[in-house]
Amino acid sequence: MYDTNPKPQEGAWLWLIKIVAGLLIVVIMGIHFWVNHLVAPGGLLSYADVLAYYQNPAIIVMEILFLIFVVSHAFLGVRSIILDVNPTKVVLRWVNRGLLFLGTAAILYGIWLALFISAKGAGA
């Protein structure tokens, strides 16, 4: 028999964040796809085009938000999958810490990379 009760370790707020992040991923991915593949000549941006593209502060913000939403949604999804195997509280605590560390590291690296690309284009 299937258990239809919500997972006690996954609160409503984490579930809501995962759902909202998923929706925002679809919206930003649509914008990202449209700009990078449908507006660009030949369907692809060259390296010089990407550097010029990143000179717009709104683009940097959009790309960073896209990164944050994707990482958050993915890591909350991984956590939800791990909850399906009913880990002990100690294991779940380590899983939470590990996912938080990896997710934070991925987001910080992505922010650094976006800002680095933007600065490289400003110097060109």
Side-chain angles (χ1 to χ4, degrees), residues 1-2 33 44 48 50 53-55 62 81 90 93 103 113 119:
M1 205 51 136
Y2 294 108
F33 181 78
L44 293 173
V50 171
Y53 176 68
Y54 267 76
Q55 295 313 296
M62 182 187 75
I81 291 168
V90 172
R93 191 175 318 122
L113 187 59

Side-chain angles (χ1 to χ4, degrees), residues 5-123:
N5 295 323
K7 300 170 191 170
Q9 300 92 343
E10 185 173 45
W13 283 110
L14 290 179
W15 179 83
L16 185 62
I17 290 169
K18 187 170 45 175
I19 298 303
V20 170
L23 176 64
L24 292 171
I25 288 168
V26 171
V27 171
I28 294 176
M29 185 173 54
I31 295 168
H32 177 90
F33 181 78
W34 179 67
V35 169
N36 288 297
H37 301 290
L38 299 178
V39 173
L44 293 173
L45 296 175
S46 69
Y47 179 71
D49 293 336
V50 171
L51 291 179
Y53 176 68
Y54 267 76
Q55 295 313 296
N56 184 341
I59 298 303
I60 297 170
V61 170
M62 182 187 75
E63 296 292 337
I64 289 173
L65 287 174
F66 187 40
L67 168 74
I68 291 169
F69 296 142
V70 167
V71 170
S72 300
H73 184 77
F75 280 73
L76 285 170
V78 168
R79 182 182 183 274
S80 185
I81 291 168
I82 291 170
L83 287 176
D84 287 340
V85 298
N86 200 17
T88 65
K89 289 185 180 191
V90 172
V91 170
L92 185 58
R93 191 175 318 122
W94 280 103
V95 165
N96 288 340
R97 288 177 184 167
L99 291 175
L100 182 61
F101 175 77
L102 291 173
T104 301
I107 289 170
L108 289 175
Y109 174 71
I111 291 171
W112 171 82
L113 187 59
L115 296 175
F116 180 81
I117 291 170
S118 173
K120 190 158 180 102

